[in-house]
Amino acid sequence: MDLRRYLASRPPYEIGGLFGAIAVTMVVVTVLVQDSSSIKVPYERKIIYVEQWSANRTDAEIIAQQKIDKVKRDRELAELDRLKKKKQAEFKRLDDKLRAYGF
């Protein structure tokens, strides 16, 4: 009853503006909800296996294993560095294109 009386006392352009604002808000919320539900973030499990070493290893065995691990670590770091440089080059190309337009 109060809402009907309030709406009857308002000029027609205010009621139109009210429903227009409600409609625009609903459209924006609907688009955002649909957009967020379409994002499928792949979940990738990273399993870390813990190696067990015998307590009576010699220093030579430890040093040999460290050398093997260092080669693996260096290879992984080189790959990561390559990927970083590739990504930086992509951003550099994008930046150059945007600077050409004055951004």
Side-chain angles (χ1 to χ4, degrees), residues 35-91:
D35 185 50
S36 68
S37 66
S38 67
I39 298 174
K40 300 293 182 208
V41 179
Y43 177 73
E44 185 175 318
R45 292 183 179 166
K46 183 173 181 178
I47 300 173
I48 300 173
Y49 294 99
V50 178
E51 296 183 28
Q52 293 186 2
W53 303 100
S54 63
N56 57 359
R57 290 188 302 156
T58 65
D59 287 343
E61 290 174 335
I62 294 171
I63 292 171
Q65 185 61 43
Q66 287 175 341
K67 287 180 182 177
I68 293 170
D69 292 342
K70 184 177 183 327
V71 170
K72 289 179 186 177
R73 187 173 53 248
D74 290 344
R75 194 177 315 129
E76 290 172 357
L77 290 175
E79 177 66 16
L80 182 62
D81 191 43
R82 184 189 67 79
L83 292 173
K84 278 183 175 178
K85 287 182 180 180
K86 180 180 174 185
K87 185 60 78 173
Q88 286 175 344
E90 291 175 10
F91 279 119

Side-chain angles (χ1 to χ4, degrees), residues 3-39:
L3 179 62
R4 185 184 306 165
R5 190 177 309 154
Y6 174 76
L7 291 176
S9 68
R10 311 283 0 138
Y13 69 89
E14 286 185 3
I15 295 173
L18 171 69
F19 288 119
I22 291 172
V24 168
T25 303
M26 293 305 294
V27 166
V28 169
V29 168
T30 303
V31 168
L32 288 175
V33 167
Q34 287 177 349
D35 185 50
S36 68
S37 66
S38 67
I39 298 174

